[in-house]
Amino acid sequence: MAGQGVLALLLLLARTVLPGGSTVVNSCSSAAEQLCDFTCDCSDCSDENQCGYLRGSAALGTPFTCDFEEGDCGWRDVSTSAYRWVRGRASLATWGTGPHSDHTVGTDLGWFMVTVSPRAKTTATAWLRSPVMREAAATCEIRAWYHLSGSGLNQTEQPVLRLAMVYRDEVVGLWQSPERGGEGWHQLVAYTGRITGQFQLIFSLTQPPACGVELALDDIIFRNCGLQEPRQQVCGKEESPCSQGSCLARHRFCDGTDDCGDGSDEDPKLCKSFLRCSFEQDLCNWKAEVGQPAWERNMSLNLGTAYSIPTRDHSNNSRAGFFLHVGSASAAGTSGPAQLSSPVFQATNSCSLVLYCYLHGSATTHLSISYVIKSTKYLVRERMGDLGSCWVRERVDFNVTDSFKVLIEGVAGGTGTVAIDDLILSPGCIQAQEKLLTTLPSRARAGPCAAQEVACDSGGCISAELACDFAATCADGSDEKRCGATTFEAGPGGWHDVSVGRLRWGVQRATEAADTVLTGAFLGLQAGEGQMVAAAKACTPLLGPSGPACTMEMSYHIHGGPQGFLAVSIADHTTGTTHLAWHMPAHGSTAGGHVRIPLGERTRPFQVELLGLVDLQDSASAAVDNVTFVQCHPDVVPPGAAELTCNFERGMCGWYQDQSSDFQWVRSTGQGQGSDHTTGSGYFLAADPSAPWSRGQRARLITYRQEPAAAPRCLSFWYRLAGPQIGTLNLKLWLEGAEETVLWTQRGTQGSVWHRGRATLPATGQRQYRVAFEALRDGFLGDVALDDLALTAGPCGAELSCSFEADACGLAASGQSTWLWQSSGTGTTAGPLADHTTGTAAGHYMVVSTGWGSLPAGRAAALTSQPYQPSAPAQCLAFWYQLSTGTPGSLGVFVEQSGMRRKVMGVSAMEGDAWHRGHVTVQPDGDWQAIFEAVGAGGDHGYIALDDLHVSDGACPEPASCDFERDMCGWSSPADPHLHGFAWGWKSGVPLAKYPGPEQDHTLGTRNGHYVHFDTSVLGPGGITARLESQHLPAAADSCLRFWYHMDIPEHLSSGELRVIVRSASGQRTVWSMAGHRSRGWRGGVVPVRSPSEFQIIFEITTQRWPMEGTVALDDIAYSAAGGCHSSPEVPVEEKSSSGFVAEVALSLLLAIIVLVLVAVGGWYLLKRQGLASGMPAESGPPQGFDNITFRDDKVIISPVPVEGDED
């Protein structure tokens, strides 16, 4: 009864504050009873702020919403222990340990409420309380999103999230989380019922002992909660007015729900002729048939707080109110329904029954309403499935020509509960005076099938797990006949309506006058009897498992207003998540056709949900027909499944989308981020983490199951990682019966340029396998792209680029001490605290211990690459290394060709503990290998580490010098996410809408040339700086930095500048800066550089205000370590193409002639009017040799005044 204790403490917490609450500041001095009542009494709706919601969410476009972007909306933590709620946001630095993004905006910039606490040794609860709210309508719906993460999700005892309401000195549960829930964002839906006066809401999360689960809460939305405003309406022929003037359908008067909001539709005088049984005293004239299972009268106080149990009755909205529910005997294996019968009624055509039903906790829970004449049962209405934790109105009419009884039957399937309350009979239901013999049909006896089995139509039983698994198990195939695949000619075909509102799904037949492309029978929207205002929903039975190619096809039709829609979602009961798979808005017009909806590979059980919303009073309609499931059996292998070589021009080949996440790969031709690799105008796959409503952690592209491979093969591919904050691309191997293996990985921006990646797929013996590309949403600005996948025989050979994140890239260790592949977080030997690739403790590198115990003085440990093939007359081998302080020994780099070994570099000490870049130019005359040799020096401790090897064509440039044509030459943006900065991009001059920049580089002067760039519009809440850092450079007494920059920033949107910073162990100083402006072409910069110790050069864009719009680009960076800037004292001016130069010369000559003419005319006019003026003081002109560089001790400031040769 832990739940009862929780509710008691909730009441204690609420009683201390219910009269008060958060202060609501309103601009029109609304009365206190008008604050936080879901109705805008002030013109600016300021009376509905800080109410647990704000007047609206700009991001979501919904009223009465708290998205936590602007604050806590008045929610307060009232926890009584260290376990508590705080307002927070996701952190890329701790990606994977909590929510990776908020739900509102889907990035690390969005806010939510989150629980924080050290693991407790006892059960602990965190409480979050709303301000005081007032007057909720009967239709009031609360929606919110919660995110679960942490190792505790795998424990037997799960944490429980509850939403409760404090009302009339009572705590009433509205909702609680299911018993099993997977990681990710989940939606909760709760209904308050009609609430008069004040109430508060409380979220509570109860953690079992030592359970490391973190829960985040976001996007709390209140829908249809406000009472109808008094107004006079003209009512229709089937309507009657409420006292406050609005109209209500007559059949909703005296139905046990205060629909008018003022109680006038439930006036006792008006409803005195209705027979209502609330079960508060007894069963009235109804009779619960003896036997098991049976309807039992009880209250929530006695039944506990199990997931499927009603938390309150309907009559009083109270835990102490009575209702009928099917007893637990049904869960013990007994068969047949519980039966409740009425007295005998006279024949009638005006008798109706309203009741409130509760079906929750199981997809197989069932309720039926029938009438019985002389022991023959006639079904009138049935409900099946999980309707949620709420009471749902149901109404049936009886048009019977003989005396009859009403029969209500309930089956609590599995762990579910079925309950009923408030049975209301209309005045037309007249009890028969004479005693007539009307016997109930015999209760359905237990069939030949045991529990957890289903019967075949042809006889025999099969396991329930085999029904609706896309393979016929019964001899007649009847186990697959009622699973959702249907034309609806013979009935719903397994679809069942689970609507709770005023719309429902039902089988209809097309008429000649119907405006629809559907013919015959179909599933269409029709008026429902529920009291809520919600979309209609129908579900299939439990399905699965399904295979990767599984697709649902159907015909559809929709005609309606702009708010109308049709949608298909997939409820995965294994993870507790629901994903939207297809959505068709009405757009105020008519739409229809045939659609294929990928369902993908899913474990059992899952359900397909069909949702629809239209306004039937506006002659709107929506329907579906001809539903089929295609290639859904897990063993189905579609043609081409083994075709892993793919350029995506004609489809996906042997690859398919993982449909379990809403973050997905999209086959496209560009969408502004660049062209494909194959032809420059064809198709490729892209994953955009900023796509609307992408909230999943990963987008996966997966192969079908492949036959065992006897020999290794090489999978090559072209990829693109672009954008100022893009995440990770992985290539993984899923070997049958083994853990997944990362074969290749890359993280962070690599520029808007295609790169080639390769990975060796190992031999798999007798086991099948699959391969998957995985894009992670651990970055939110940019895109990931794939193209031209090719699978060839044999291993891949030497990796031209290796970050050591996946493995050692084939480098072989030899010698007395072994080079180890490790990360700082999991390593077994001393090494750098962070790798160079990711800048984190989770990143990997190669390291060798050089202490005397591991590598005695003079002994060597070698690391040898696989053979590199010559692809150019000269090749550049670049790598990053780190030597520990003290006596680390020495690192020698050798190149071996044709059995000859030549030392090309050696280092034995370095300043600090940073990563340093080394490079050597190799002129191969055949295959060659790189050898990294560590030699011990006899120190007590020490290490030498390597990371990020890269081989490229052409000679190596000088350190910190780059024309950016082949790569970025060691220039990079810092990987540390704690800096809240963004990365510079690398691209060509080809215009890209998503990544703007100059249309010509400086090196080549063409659109095919490359440069680095940054779009300043991303600066803002996510970070106010973007840095481009050089490798570490040795101390310099008289060095010079030359570079070319291009700015396109409107002055009125500029609040920042481009800086050159010199950073060393003693600090950093700005040596050059330029305010944001429009440079109208490439401009040159020259900066003297001096540093008494090792240093880095940093180009930084920074802003003081937000937003800042425009682009900055850099090209042709040249660093001279000696000689200073004296050989070129003036600032380089802009270079122009010949065509541009000719055009500007012609324009300049024309302007000069015009100016001379104007000067001559003006001079003649002045001489004529005034004569030659003498003795006038002359204005001081600019000095000869004007230069726009002003030198200071710590800074060089260049004003944006054009020098000779600049464009106008």
Side-chain angles (χ1 to χ4, degrees), residues 336-614:
Q339 294 183 328
L340 182 74
S341 62
S342 73
V344 178
F345 294 114
Q346 298 177 8
T348 180
N349 61 358
S350 62
C351 173
S352 65
L353 168 68
V354 170
L355 61 79
Y356 290 83
C357 59
Y358 179 100
L359 289 83
H360 186 42
S362 171
T364 57
T365 299
H366 186 270
L367 176 75
S368 66
I369 305 172
S370 310
Y371 65 88
V372 179
I373 300 177
K374 298 177 181 178
S375 75
T376 302
K377 182 172 68 174
Y378 300 90
L379 180 66
V380 180
R381 184 70 48 81
E382 62 180 344
R383 300 299 303 262
M384 179 181 176
D386 193 331
L387 306 185
S389 181
C390 62
W391 292 98
V392 179
R393 179 185 186 270
E394 191 57 80
R395 178 181 177 273
V396 293
D397 294 318
F398 298 103
N399 188 355
V400 187
T401 58
D402 203 345
S403 299
F404 69 97
K405 280 187 175 183
V406 178
L407 178 64
I408 302 173
E409 297 179 299
V411 176
T415 58
T417 298
V418 58
I420 54 175
D421 198 5
D422 285 337
L423 277 59
I424 304 172
L425 291 163
S426 69
C429 303
I430 301 174
Q431 189 169 337
Q433 297 300 318
E434 65 275 13
K435 292 188 177 181
L436 301 174
L437 185 60
T438 301
T439 59
L440 296 179
S442 59
R443 189 192 301 255
R445 298 298 176 187
C449 301
Q452 306 303 317
E453 287 187 336
V454 295
C456 299
D457 292 350
S458 58
C461 303
I462 64 170
S463 170
E465 292 285 313
L466 299 177
C468 299
D469 66 348
F470 306 110
T473 305
C474 295
D476 58 355
S478 56
D479 56 312
E480 301 297 317
K481 286 183 178 178
R482 292 172 287 275
C483 300
T486 179
T487 62
F488 300 104
E489 298 298 328
W495 290 91
H496 54 274
D497 179 73
V498 291
S499 306
V500 299
R502 302 181 185 187
L503 286 173
R504 64 186 297 268
W505 288 100
V507 176
Q508 306 174 31
R509 286 202 166 269
T511 61
E512 292 184 4
D515 179 21
T516 174
V517 296
L518 306 180
T519 58
F522 54 82
L523 192 66
L525 285 181
Q526 55 195 44
E529 298 294 344
Q531 75 273 37
M532 312 304 180
V533 179
K537 182 164 70 171
C539 293
T540 65
L542 298 176
L543 305 177
S546 62
C550 184
T551 300
M552 186 179 86
E553 299 185 8
M554 69 178 188
S555 303
Y556 71 93
H557 162 85
I558 183 168
H559 169 74
Q563 302 301 318
F565 68 87
L566 269 176
V568 171
S569 59
I570 304 165
D572 191 322
H573 294 271
T574 303
T575 61
T577 57
T578 300
H579 290 301
L580 184 68
W582 176 78
H583 184 264
M584 175 57 65
H587 289 311
S589 59
T590 301
H594 191 78
V595 64
R596 301 179 73 254
I597 304 169
L599 304 182
E601 183 175 25
R602 296 181 182 275
T603 57
R604 183 182 181 91
F606 71 91
Q607 288 177 285
V608 178
E609 300 178 342
L610 177 65
L611 300 109
L613 180 65
V614 294

